[in-house]
Structures are given as C-alpha cells and as structure tokens.
C-alpha cells in the first residue's frame, strides 16, 4: 500500500510508534524513525530491515527546533521526498494542578505540542510544493475530555487538534492532508507504569472491555496516511474502544 513512499515517524523507538513503523515497513514503505532514544530507534529500524523492509533511524529530540530542521534536511537529501509524517513522540509528567510544577508543564508542551509543530514546519513547504503529503498527529482522549492530573498533557493534546485543523486548511488545496489520531487506553511502556489494580478498573470502564493494542492505533494511522484518504482532512479519529462516544 505504501510502496515507493517515504514515511517519517517520531517517537517510534517503542510503544505505538514502533508498531506503526513495523506496519508501514510491511506495506513496503521506506520508514525513517526519529526518537530521543537512538538505540531503540535503530533496533526498530533493524527489525524492519530483517523482514526485508526499508528503514533508517535518527536520534533526535522533537522539542529541538534547529536539530529537527537539520534531521529533516538530511532525510530529504538522502531519500528525496517525504510522503507521510507521523508525529507520535509524546511524554507525560502527571500531577494534580496543586502539585504540578512549571517544569512539568514546560516539558510536556515542548515535546507534545512544540515537537509536533517543529516537524510539520520542517516538511510542510516541501509537501505543498510536491502537491502531496499526509500528516498524522497524535492527540489523546485526555485532550478531548480532560483528565485528572493531566493539565499539561490535556493542554498539549488539545493544542495538537487545533494545530492540525489549521494545517489541514492551509494544506488542503495543495494535496496535503492533516488529521489526528486520539488513542484512549493503549498497552505500551507509557501505560505499563500504571498500577495493575488501577488498570483493571479502567478496563471495566471501556465498552469494548479490553485495553487497546498498538496495532489498533497503527491501523487508524495507516488509513489516514493512505493515498485514498485524500478527501479526509482536519479530522480526529478516536481509537478508544468506545470510552468516549
Ligand atoms: N499509551 C496510551 O494509552 C496513549 C493514549 C493516548 C495517547 N497516547 C499518545 O500516543 C503516543 C505514543 O505513546 P506511547 O504509549 O507509545 O508512548 P511511549 O512512552 O511508549 O513511547 C514514546 C516514544 O517517544 C519518544 N520520545 C519522547 N520524547 C521525545 C522527544 N522529545 N523527542 C523524540 N522522541 C521522544 C520516546 O523515547 C519513546 O520511544 C504519544 O504521543 C502519547 O501521548 C498514548
């Protein structure tokens, strides 16, 4: 489905992003992974190559504007184009508002919101000039409904939705779509940190009665990133087993 396409995925060293990278690898894409953890990024890249896929990796901090522009410039120099950008890198620094520090706030906004901006900024002009592009950004259920202890995270993820809608408007006439995937409760290292009894209680509240898997999210990303989804832009697909309807 993505044969001949170059797909850049941030935060794909583990969790949902790694699953997305492997799925695109199986679909014939050239997959470029950018992650804070360079070792993990390279590991995922090697896994794709071992299965006869095409992949490469870069260590990078999405919150760093200059570094991001340099990384993307290197990718254009080596691969000639970027068809799909998936902004999956994200962090949490949870605390009730009472206990939340400015550092907690700044770190989450810098990675989740500014990081997404940095990557879009680096590819947008080239995508519009090429007349083709698919941008898929990561929000969260917390960015739609709010969530106790996540003032910073909810703000960053709601911001991603607003940003995406504007990018969609600006890219629409030039063949560039921008959409959002908003996962609910997905099994990854990010959620592994939640105590077992809390997790079980959360699962009881999910209409589908199970935790989501990275593959559930990867499928929605592939759909939005496909050529055939060119008439879908500025939308949010919630992948949450019915937690919010
Ligand atoms: N897991 C869930 O239940 C869930 C729910 C809703 C939304 N999400 C969102 O999905 C995305 C992926 O989540 P996950 O659960 O796979 O997380 P994860 O913590 O398992 O993986 C996140 C990856 O992002 C990388 N990363 C973090 N900061 C970075 C930075 N500044 N620059 C580059 N890379 C960076 C990490 O090294 C890691 O490899 C995130 O945007 C997250 O907010 C996850």
């Amino acid at each position: 489905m993505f044969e001949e396409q170059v797909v850049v995925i941030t935060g794909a060293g583990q969790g949902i992003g790694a699953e997305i990278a492997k799925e695109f690898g199986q679909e014939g894409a050239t997959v470029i992974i950018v992650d804070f953890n360079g070792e993990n990024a390279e590991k995922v890249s090697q896994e794709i190559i071992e299965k006869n896929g095409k992949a490469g990796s870069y260590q990078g901090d999405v919150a760093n504007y200059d570094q991001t522009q340099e990384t993307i410039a290197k990718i254009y120099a080596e691969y000639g184009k970027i068809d799909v950008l998936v902004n999956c890198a994200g962090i949490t620094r949870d605390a009730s508002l009472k206990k939340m520090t400015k550092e907690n706030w700044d770190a989450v906004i810098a990675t989740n919101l500014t990081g997404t901006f940095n990557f879009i900024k680096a590819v947008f002009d080239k995508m519009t000039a090429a007349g083709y592009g698919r941008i898929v950004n990561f929000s969260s259920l917390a960015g739609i409904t709010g969530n106790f202890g996540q003032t910073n995270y909810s703000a960053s993820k709601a911001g991603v939705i607003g940003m995406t809608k504007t990018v969609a408007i600006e890219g629409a006439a030039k063949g560039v779509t921008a959409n959002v995937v908003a996962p609910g409760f997905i099994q990854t290292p990010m959620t592994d940190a939640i105590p077992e009894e809390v997790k079980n209680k959360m699962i009881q509240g999910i209409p589908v009665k199970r935790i989501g898997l990275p593959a559930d999210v990867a499928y929605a990303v592939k759909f939005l990133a496909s050529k055939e989804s060119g008439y879908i832009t500025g939308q949010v697909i919630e992948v949450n087993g019915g937690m919010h309807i």
Side-chain angles (χ1 to χ4, degrees):
M1 211 169 154
F2 292 92
E3 210 71 54
E4 308 299 327
Q5 293 202 21
V6 179
V7 178
V8 174
I9 310 168
T10 71
Q14 66 176 39
I16 297 170
E19 181 66 27
I20 295 168
K22 290 176 204 168
E23 293 268 350
F24 274 109
Q26 278 176 10
E27 299 280 357
T30 299
V31 183
I32 314 298
I33 295 157
V34 184
D35 200 289
F36 201 62
N37 186 328
E39 245 174 62
N40 279 355
E42 185 49 28
K43 223 186 279 170
V44 176
S45 161
Q46 285 307 321
E47 271 182 57
I48 293 169
I49 291 166
E50 275 160 26
K51 290 191 172 155
N52 297 319
K54 294 161 274 182
S57 74
Y58 289 87
Q59 192 282 329
D61 176 2
V62 298
N64 184 328
Y65 182 86
D66 291 339
Q67 188 195 47
T68 295
Q69 310 311 305
E70 278 167 30
T71 302
I72 291 290
K74 279 187 203 156
I75 295 170
Y76 275 115
E78 188 166 352
Y79 301 94
K81 62 172 188 162
I82 294 171
D83 301 286
V84 178
L85 168 66
V86 181
N87 282 303
C88 188
I91 58 167
T92 53
R93 293 285 184 275
D94 296 353
S96 65
L97 185 55
K98 198 179 160 95
K99 294 186 184 150
M100 187 166 288
T101 62
K102 185 175 182 308
E103 286 71 30
N104 295 151
W105 170 268
D106 287 343
V108 169
I109 298 295
T111 294
N112 299 3
L113 187 59
T114 309
T116 299
F117 168 78
N118 290 344
F119 270 77
I120 294 174
K121 184 73 184 147
V123 302
F124 191 72
D125 286 354
K126 284 227 164 63
M127 280 186 173
T128 53
Y132 186 84
R134 297 279 180 267
I135 298 170
V136 182
N137 296 325
F138 265 73
S139 182
S140 165
L141 183 58
I144 296 167
T145 62
N147 195 25
F148 189 96
Q150 293 196 311
T151 307
N152 50 0
Y153 187 77
S154 303
S156 72
K157 295 300 191 180
V160 165
I161 294 175
M163 189 196 318
T164 306
K165 289 184 177 182
T166 297
V167 172
I169 291 166
E170 295 190 10
K174 290 153 191 151
V176 179
T177 68
N179 290 287
V180 172
V181 168
F185 183 33
I186 312 296
Q187 189 170 21
T188 70
M190 187 184 262
T191 50
D192 284 347
I194 300 171
E196 208 58 35
E197 63 272 22
V198 179
K199 267 199 249 182
N200 289 336
K201 219 170 163 190
M202 285 171 81
I203 289 166
Q204 285 316 306
I206 302 173
V208 169
K209 295 291 177 215
R210 68 167 174 86
I211 191 166
L213 300 174
D216 294 316
V217 183
Y219 182 72
V221 173
K222 276 201 303 187
F223 167 70
L224 291 171
S226 68
K227 260 189 194 143
E228 291 77 5
S229 288
Y231 209 60
I232 302 170
T233 196
Q235 302 304 305
V236 181
I237 294 194
E238 295 187 50
V239 185
N240 59 29
M243 277 171 95
H244 175 252
I245 290 175

